[in-house]
Amino acid sequence: MTVFTHPEFDHHEHLTFCCDPETGLRAIIAVHNTSRGPALGGCRMFPYTSDEEALRDVLRLSRGMTYKSALANLDLGGGKSVIIGDPRKHKTEALLESMGRFLEQLGGLYIAAEDSGTSVADLRVMGRQTANVAGIRERPGFDGKPSNGDPSPATAWGTFAGLKAAVKHKLGRSDLEGLTVAVQGIGNVGYRLAQHLTEAGAKLWVYDIHQDQMDRAVAELGATPATAEEILYLPVDVVAPCAMGAVLNDLSIAKLQAPIVAGAANNQLAGPLHDEMLWKHGVLYAPDFVINAGGIIDVYYERTGPDPDAVRKHVDAIGQTLHEIFERSDRDGLPTGQIADQLAEERFKHFSR
Ligand code: NAD
């Protein structure tokens, strides 16, 4: 296993390999860049089949957080951690507390939040050993409702703001009355996004692998059910992927009929070339790490003190950032994902606090 010459290394500032034989903890903490502030990112627990697989994942994800936080204009750097193990079999309070002690050793360089395989409750257990965990406190939510730390409402609101910016840019309209949108995945974020769209007068098609989620969207929002095969390819104004990654690939892009892709799912592009493919296909793509930053914005404000109005304004600004990306993409003749990367780099490579 290589580290400094690893293809995903990309000048990481700091890597910590954590091992505690007593609790069985094996973890890697990656800090990509701290020029804007401490590195905040999720702590993922997954049964990686090799150390190499875990290293690749943590490096890739950690770098992504630097870009996401810079584009969200947060005083945060990028980092991520992975615990190697099956969350259903190997997760114990002792292991989580051990992880908390490793976080404490880093003295605030990295702050962990929940991710796949870990929950708010798990982060609270780590928090017995360190203050360097985030997204764990009950607080007034940005929407006026009490929040238990779940970032999904803010993510959905930011995705809604970003979707509106994309519609304005591509279709020249500010009013969503009668806009047609296909939402893939109606879970925590997708359902809330669907609610905002319905309230704004949009007409929805939905698909989820769970029938009860579909039934709820049909009954409560008047959405039209679609099939797995058709949801991405309907002749609608916007496709909103809100389930899993890699949905934008060679096959799917060729079949897309919507002029806009704007959804919350992480890692929507199957590979870096798909950004350009969408652009050449005439599709306006709202880069996922820009449009889905509402959650990290919400978590950030937990640390600075709850301020629902400030969170809402900050999440709304996702629309302005996307507007800037779309304008630059037109001006420079480059795909939106490439422009988003450039803009992020301007914001973290030349940042002085
Ligand atoms: P979730 O698990 O609550 O919802 C995902 C939904 O997608 C579920 O209802 C699931 O049944 C459905 N689904 C899974 N596979 C599917 C498929 N093949 N086709 C259609 N539906 C499918 O997750 P979430 O929190 O709503 O997150 C949704 C996406 O947004 C994920 O990619 C996540 O990484 C990303 N994201 C979420 C947040 C957040 O704050 N929750 C923040 C940033 C990014």
Side-chain angles (χ1 to χ4, degrees):
M1 182 169 72
T2 59
V3 178
F4 291 111
T5 53
H6 193 286
E8 305 284 350
F9 187 69
D10 189 45
H11 308 102
H12 263 73
E13 287 177 9
H14 206 286
L15 265 183
T16 309
F17 293 85
C18 317
C19 180
D20 178 4
E22 258 181 46
T23 63
L25 176 77
R26 282 188 305 137
I28 311 175
I29 302 171
V31 172
H32 177 250
N33 186 287
T34 56
S35 63
R36 291 185 69 93
L40 194 151
C43 173
R44 178 170 287 195
M45 183 164 186
F46 187 78
Y48 295 101
T49 52
S50 66
D51 298 351
E52 170 61 34
E53 195 192 352
L55 179 66
R56 184 177 175 279
D57 207 30
V58 78
L59 290 174
R60 207 175 42 86
L61 294 166
S62 150
R63 176 182 184 274
M65 290 310 298
T66 301
Y67 283 71
K68 180 182 271 204
S69 287
L71 277 174
N73 266 325
L74 295 170
D75 294 341
L76 291 175
K80 202 89 178 182
S81 55
V82 294
I83 298 176
I84 301 169
D86 184 336
R88 279 163 302 176
K89 291 190 200 144
H90 305 127
K91 201 194 301 177
T92 60
E93 291 210 356
L95 178 141
L96 294 168
E97 285 197 10
S98 177
M99 184 68 185
R101 284 190 289 276
F102 279 105
L103 296 175
E104 180 61 14
Q105 280 176 13
L106 289 181
L109 188 69
Y110 166 70
I111 300 155
E114 68 161 313
D115 205 280
S116 54
T118 61
S119 63
V120 170
D122 296 335
L123 268 290
R124 286 188 180 137
V125 176
M126 292 180 203
R128 292 175 193 159
Q129 304 293 330
T130 181
N132 299 322
V133 287
I136 57 165
R137 285 188 204 99
E138 294 188 0
R139 57 188 187 272
F142 80 100
D143 51 5
K145 298 176 191 153
S147 164
N148 62 0
D150 176 7
S152 308
T155 303
W157 186 255
T159 306
F160 181 55
L163 188 151
K164 285 190 285 185
V167 168
K168 179 96 200 293
H169 187 83
K170 186 76 179 175
L171 307 177
R173 51 184 288 195
S174 307
D175 165 19
L176 303 193
E177 190 65 43
L179 186 87
T180 53
V181 185
V183 185
Q184 182 190 47
I186 8 180
N188 284 320
V189 178
Y191 188 81
R192 289 182 172 93
L193 173 67
Q195 275 180 318
H196 298 318
L197 286 164
T198 308
E199 280 160 19
K203 184 164 168 27
L204 302 189
W205 280 258
V206 293
Y207 172 70
D208 196 289
I209 48 168
H210 290 118
Q211 188 61 41
D212 54 339
Q213 308 276 78
M214 296 267 278
D215 294 345
R216 185 175 165 219
V218 171
E220 293 179 9
L221 306 176
T224 306
T227 64
E229 292 72 32
E230 69 186 353
I231 189 73
L232 295 177
Y233 313 122
L234 293 167
V236 289
D237 296 314
V238 184
V239 163
C242 295
M244 70 290 185
V247 289
L248 301 171
N249 51 47
D250 291 355
L251 292 177
S252 67
I253 293 171
K255 291 201 282 175
L256 275 177
Q257 295 197 63
I260 296 168
V261 175
N266 273 317
N267 304 321
Q268 291 171 37
L269 302 174
L273 292 179
H274 296 108
D275 179 30
E276 188 166 352
M277 204 177 282
L278 282 163
W279 179 65
K280 286 191 173 151
H281 197 68
V283 176
L284 183 67
Y285 167 60
D288 47 17
F289 63 100
V290 186
I291 197 169
N292 71 16
I296 189 150
I297 294 171
D298 190 40
V299 169
Y300 170 80
Y301 279 90
E302 179 188 278
R303 298 186 66 75
T304 59
D307 185 345
D309 288 344
V311 177
R312 192 170 189 115
K313 270 195 204 135
H314 205 137
V315 174
D316 274 331
I318 289 174
Q320 279 120 53
T321 303
L322 280 168
H323 171 71
E324 190 177 340
I325 289 168
F326 298 151
E327 293 274 309
R328 271 218 217 180
S329 165
D330 290 348
R331 187 194 70 195
D332 299 350
L334 287 171
T336 51
Q338 274 186 47
I339 296 289
D341 282 351
Q342 279 178 11
L343 191 58
E345 284 163 15
E346 286 165 21
R347 290 183 183 182
F348 75 82
K349 288 193 174 161
H350 312 291
F351 187 79
S352 56
R353 266 178 284 156

